[in-house]
Amino acid sequence: VQLQASGGGLVQAGGSLRLSCAATGRTFSSYYMGWFRQTPGKEREFVAAISWSGGRTYYADSVRGRFTISRDNAKNMVYLQMISLKPEDTAAYYCAAAAVLSSGSRDYRNWGQGTQVTVSS
């Protein structure tokens, strides 16, 4: 599966953004999907993950209650709705596909290019 993330941008603290990840490939619905983020000089950080059916979700403590991951298997899309954004959410955000529901980046074999989110204070 190939992935392409979009929807990033510049937003003020407290604002909202929705990231989208478009997947190509007939097997999309069999993958667990995740969002990660990375800032320069730091390791890639887990944000959220969702099971293949959408019935299970998993969030980093830093975003739980503010971010929501969802998917539409009919459209081969994964979303990350972000509200109450903070300056520390500033990062490049990546979507990725895995065979398990995991917060570990090593479990994800397919990665999209990043989309930049910048939150101003």
Side-chain angles (χ1 to χ4, degrees):
V1 62
Q2 293 184 321
L3 306 171
Q4 183 169 353
S6 62
L10 174 63
V11 64
Q12 290 187 334
S16 302
L17 278 176
R18 189 176 83 153
L19 305 184
S20 298
C21 177
T24 57
R26 292 175 294 177
T27 59
F28 169 75
S29 60
S30 66
Y31 284 96
Y32 293 84
M33 298 298 297
W35 285 96
F36 289 76
R37 65 187 182 187
Q38 189 172 24
T39 55
K42 294 187 177 181
E43 292 187 356
R44 198 161 289 186
E45 175 190 18
F46 170 74
V47 175
I50 190 167
S51 63
W52 62 269
S53 68
R56 286 187 292 160
T57 55
Y58 184 24
Y59 296 95
D61 289 342
S62 59
V63 307
R64 187 176 293 111
R66 299 188 298 120
F67 291 10
T68 302
I69 188 172
S70 61
R71 67 189 297 165
D72 185 337
N73 287 339
K75 296 181 179 179
N76 279 15
M77 296 291 294
V78 179
Y79 306 100
L80 185 69
Q81 178 68 51
M82 307 183 292
I83 66 171
S84 302
L85 283 161
K86 305 175 181 180
E88 51 263 43
D89 294 318
T90 295
Y93 283 71
Y94 299 85
C95 59
V100 296
L101 186 64
S102 173
S103 62
S105 60
R106 294 182 179 181
D107 289 321
Y108 290 80
R109 300 300 180 90
N110 303 81
W111 292 84
Q113 90 293 350
T115 185
Q116 179 68 34
V117 172
T118 302
V119 184
S120 63
S121 58

